[in-house]
Amino acid sequence: MYAIRGAISAKANTEKDILEATKEIMQNLMQENDLQKEDLISIITTTTDDLTKVYPGKALREIGYNLTPILCMQEMKVEMSSQKMIRLLIHVDGKRDKSQVKHQYLRNAKKLRPDLVE
């Protein structure tokens, strides 16, 4: 088993923007890491406390992750931290060297881990 991280900023605190951003980061993570839905064990999502209109898990269900356990949580509030962030932690069934995992940070989330952004 191994894990993949990803994050993306939502444009605004609307259901549409949260769902759109969640779908974008998930599809990007799956494509960049050459994964299939069957490869996933579970997905943990977090959002900053300023995203309140919908759970990111709803977006994941809408794009077909109906058999994968999904947990939605609120990110710890830290002074001066980034706003409107959605983060994913995906647990994958398989073996892959950590150096081969392609974590993804999109939109304003690029500043969270500049060391991982290509």
Side-chain angles (χ1 to χ4, degrees):
M1 180 172 81
Y2 63 96
I4 303 173
R5 281 290 316 266
I8 191 169
S9 56
K11 294 176 185 170
N13 183 29
T14 67
E15 182 170 336
K16 177 183 178 281
D17 287 330
I18 295 167
L19 295 176
E20 177 185 282
T22 304
K23 290 174 185 178
E24 181 179 341
I25 189 63
M26 186 64 184
Q27 290 166 338
N28 190 277
L29 285 164
M30 295 296 286
Q31 181 178 349
E32 290 297 318
N33 287 283
D34 193 29
L35 296 172
Q36 301 300 313
K37 290 176 184 166
E38 300 77 28
D39 298 328
L40 305 189
I41 295 171
S42 63
I43 304 167
I44 297 173
T45 72
T46 67
T47 62
T48 49
D49 67 349
D50 55 349
L51 295 178
T52 61
K53 299 299 182 186
V54 66
Y55 293 108
K58 180 177 179 182
L60 300 175
R61 298 284 182 232
E62 286 180 357
I63 57 174
Y65 295 90
N66 297 309
L67 299 177
T68 304
I70 299 169
L71 177 63
C72 299
M73 302 172 64
Q74 188 176 65
E75 187 76 23
M76 184 178 139
K77 186 167 178 67
V78 176
E79 292 179 7
M80 306 298 290
S81 62
S82 300
Q83 296 295 300
K84 295 181 182 63
M85 287 293 159
I86 300 164
R87 293 174 173 89
L88 300 181
L89 176 62
I90 302 171
H91 299 102
V92 181
D93 184 20
K95 292 188 180 212
R96 185 175 288 188
D97 188 272
K98 288 181 183 181
S99 65
Q100 300 301 310
V101 174
K102 296 179 183 174
H103 305 285
Q104 301 294 302
Y105 292 84
L106 305 178
R107 300 184 190 172
N108 292 340
K110 290 179 181 181
K111 63 185 175 185
L112 297 174
R113 289 297 305 265
D115 57 313
L116 296 177
V117 177
E118 294 178 2

